[in-house]
Amino acid sequence: MQYNSVKSVLEDLDPGSEIEIRGWVRTRRDSKQFSFLEVNDGSCLASLQIIADQGIDGYQEHVCEANTGAAVIVRGELVESPGKGQRVELHAKEFELVGPCSASDYPLQKKRHSNEFLRTIAHLRPRTNTFGAVFRLRSAMSFAIHSFFNQRSFVHLHSPIITTSDCEGAGEMFRVTTLDMDKPERDEKGAVDYSKDFFGAEASLTVSGQLEAELFASALSKVYTFGPTFRAENSNTARHLSEFWMVEPEVAFCDLAGDMELAEDFLKYVITYVMDNCPQDMEFFDRWIEKGILSSLQSVVDADFERMTYTDAIAALEKSGKEFEFPVSWGMDIQTEHERFLTEEYVKRPVFVTNYPKDIKAFYMRVDEGEKTVSAMDLLVPRLGEIIGGSQREEREDVLRRRIKECDLEEETYWWYLDLRRFGSVPHAGFGLGFERLLMYVSGISNIRDIIPFPRTPGSADF
């Protein structure tokens, strides 16, 4: 018999259906004549109630040994449920205990556990309601991202994970090498000789797929990357990971205004998709994780996003009368406390802040007239702050060469990037979105370690 998911049983099947389900026991209650079990297979938040009476074969060996956490296969007939909460329940005719589970030391019992504790048993936490909902949301949101770009004729690009260039110029990258670092070969100056390494040059894990996406946008017009990126920052906070996923579209013949329009459409599409397609999980987040998150997200979808320059944002912060932890002055990098004031108290909706000072932004951003600012934008949203960062890219070869030197980068590393400015250069723009940060925003989960299946952080790479 073909087996059914719990989701399909609860949503689609009628009483009288003969079915088979496979899953894990959440709870079991025994009476003199039968047992009640709740079985979940991860397909949805809800579990299916099963009634198993003592008359079925192997009741003592199978049903009575099916403790919380045990894996089971159950065959039987769906009947109308007399209780509240679900339409149907399953009257078992055959009950198979596939994987027993020790009742004495299984760590996931009825009581609620803190996310901090669940991180210590990361191999089991997907079985909880919270993390089942988180990772179903993650899957749905991944699909929504691909769907958004596919509908707009973007080409999906698999950008390299190993690279010899640093997109951000930060230098905080994980090195990739086959050299014996206890006794590496050195050049005549005493430095490690990376010409003897596997790739013939110093290589690292990528911090971004943007530069490679620009290359392909110069041929295919509209591309996007969606893949893992890595930062070797020693930041042990609730908002930082050493390995995380980035969404990075790049569009040829596009300016900063078009970039902001794309970012606004993108964010609204993804939020709308998960609210429409993950209603049970989103209601769970609204009830148990962050009350009011559904109405908060709906307000983002319904809003017309504000646009304001960095200079105007600084002026608004200076006139606010608020005592910020980080004093406000033109030329500073806007902090989270400033971003939240702008979105929650000043404009009271999402806002694009544009045209940042050149000296605090990356070398590839287009320099504005006047040479003080660049055509950059950050999208700020209530409750979080920055969620998307992007810019119009510098398409002028002479200006780009100057910016590379100003940022103390080695021009020869970016020879191919400069070539794009020599051969058919066009205005182009793009943005980057940290996937985990968006997941935190949509779910209300407060720690980024709880939004990725296998968190990689300083001092920890388990599971």
Side-chain angles (χ1 to χ4, degrees):
M1 179 189 295
Q2 184 178 4
Y3 71 95
N4 308 85
S5 69
V6 170
K7 185 178 191 305
S8 68
V9 170
L10 295 177
E11 293 182 359
D12 303 327
L13 299 185
D14 295 322
S17 302
E18 293 283 334
I19 66 165
E20 174 184 305
I21 66 158
R22 304 175 181 183
W24 293 266
V25 176
R26 287 287 177 88
T27 64
R28 192 193 84 230
R29 294 182 291 111
D30 300 319
S31 70
K32 292 182 178 179
Q33 296 182 328
F34 46 80
S35 296
F36 293 95
L37 301 97
E38 298 282 337
V39 174
N40 186 278
D41 65 356
S43 60
C44 64
L45 185 66
S47 299
L48 179 63
Q49 180 165 279
I50 293 170
I51 313 299
D53 63 50
Q54 292 189 11
I56 66 174
D57 290 341
Y59 178 85
Q60 294 296 331
E61 297 83 357
H62 293 271
V63 178
C64 290
E65 295 299 320
N67 302 312
T68 297
V72 298
I73 296 176
V74 187
R75 305 172 188 89
E77 181 184 359
L78 274 185
V79 299
E80 188 173 346
S81 178
K84 296 181 180 179
Q86 59 186 33
R87 296 182 305 111
V88 292
E89 59 190 27
L90 178 61
H91 277 199
K93 295 180 179 178
E94 299 177 54
F95 194 105
E96 182 179 349
L97 180 62
V98 178
C101 185
S102 170
S104 60
D105 56 7
Y106 182 58
L108 298 177
Q109 300 295 339
K110 277 188 177 181
K111 66 178 182 178
R112 293 192 69 189
H113 300 287
S114 70
N115 289 349
E116 289 77 10
F117 168 74
L118 292 172
R119 280 180 224 130
T120 69
I121 52 168
H123 57 302
L124 296 174
R125 68 177 184 169
R127 299 188 187 189
T128 65
N129 283 338
T130 296
F131 287 94
V134 163
F135 297 126
R136 282 188 297 270
L137 175 67
R138 187 179 178 105
S139 176
M141 194 176 289
S142 297
F143 182 85
I145 288 168
H146 288 297
S147 177
F148 173 85
F149 289 116
N150 183 262
Q151 290 175 19
R152 287 156 181 78
S153 300
F154 277 69
V155 175
H156 183 205
L157 171 67
H158 295 128
S159 54
I161 291 175
I162 299 173
T163 182
T164 58
S165 64
D166 178 359
C167 178
E168 299 295 335
E172 295 172 329
M173 303 173 74
F174 290 104
R175 184 172 292 124
V176 176
T177 182
T178 58
L179 294 177
D180 181 353
M181 298 311 293
D182 290 330
K183 47 183 179 180
E185 293 192 50
R186 298 185 179 275
D187 60 24
E188 55 191 24
K189 295 181 180 179
V192 174
D193 187 359
Y194 286 102
S195 68
K196 301 293 195 301
D197 207 349
F198 186 90
F199 295 107
E202 187 172 2
S204 303
L205 297 179
T206 186
V207 299
S208 169
Q210 177 203 312
L211 302 188
E212 292 81 5
E214 286 187 57
L215 185 159
F216 271 78
S218 71
L220 304 178
S221 294
K222 297 191 293 185
V223 303
Y224 73 103
T225 74
F226 184 11
T229 54
F230 308 85
R231 301 286 171 90
E233 299 175 28
N234 192 16
S235 298
N236 222 330
T237 76
R239 296 178 55 160
H240 287 87
L241 289 169
S242 301
E243 174 186 305
F244 55 98
W245 286 65
M246 288 282 287
V247 181
E248 297 175 290
E250 287 291 328
V251 185
F253 304 99
C254 182
D255 60 11
L256 186 63
D259 199 30
M260 290 189 286
E261 182 179 350
L262 179 68
E264 181 172 347
D265 290 346
F266 169 78
L267 186 62
K268 289 180 176 181
Y269 179 95
V270 173
I271 291 175
T272 300
Y273 181 91
V274 296
M275 290 177 71
D276 289 345
N277 290 275
C278 306
Q280 283 188 343
D281 292 326
M282 292 305 301
E283 287 166 9
F284 173 85
F285 295 131
D286 190 73
R287 180 178 180 184
W288 296 105
I289 305 300
E290 184 168 333
K291 293 187 184 302
I293 197 168
L294 284 173
S295 61
S296 173
L297 293 172
Q298 190 61 54
S299 69
V300 170
V301 171
D302 294 339
D304 292 325
F305 292 5
E306 181 68 77
R307 274 99 165 130
M308 66 189 309
T309 66
Y310 169 91
T311 300
D312 289 341
I314 293 296
L317 292 166
E318 289 176 330
K319 294 176 182 177
S320 69
K322 287 188 168 291
E323 290 289 333
F324 293 109
E325 179 183 354
F326 294 91
V328 177
S329 63
W330 199 97
M332 66 170 290
D333 204 355
I334 296 177
Q335 303 296 315
T336 300
E337 60 176 337
H338 309 135
E339 296 168 346
R340 294 195 61 174
F341 167 78
L342 292 171
T343 57
E344 295 171 15
E345 299 183 49
Y346 188 64
V347 299
K348 298 181 179 179
R349 54 183 165 146
V351 56
F352 287 102
V353 176
T354 67
N355 306 98
Y356 281 78
K358 177 180 67 173
D359 293 340
I360 63 172
K361 287 298 184 179
F363 74 95
Y364 51 74
M365 297 184 177
R366 193 181 200 280
V367 178
D368 294 327
E369 186 176 349
E371 299 282 323
K372 290 183 63 178
T373 61
V374 289
S375 295
M377 63 85 170
D378 286 340
L379 174 56
L380 316 180
V381 292
R383 294 190 294 110
L384 177 67
E386 180 193 345
I387 197 167
I388 287 175
S391 72
Q392 184 172 338
R393 315 311 190 189
E394 184 56 76
E395 85 280 11
R396 298 163 295 185
E397 182 188 357
D398 58 334
V399 179
L400 182 58
R401 287 186 186 277
R402 173 160 50 86
R403 288 292 292 141
I404 289 174
K405 291 178 182 177
E406 290 173 355
C407 294
D408 294 323
L409 300 174
E410 296 181 5
E411 187 175 299
E412 56 267 28
T413 302
Y414 299 94
W415 65 269
W416 58 272
Y417 192 63
L418 287 161
D419 259 7
L420 299 179
R421 277 68 184 171
R422 297 173 56 210
F423 306 129
S425 182
V426 299
H428 59 289
F431 63 78
L433 172 136
F435 185 45
E436 282 74 24
R437 185 163 295 194
L438 178 59
L439 283 161
M440 290 173 68
Y441 185 68
V442 172
S443 66
I445 296 290
S446 60
N447 195 310
I448 199 167
R449 294 171 176 83
D450 299 325
I451 213 76
I452 191 168
F454 306 101
R456 299 293 185 252
T457 56
S460 177
D462 295 336
F463 300 105

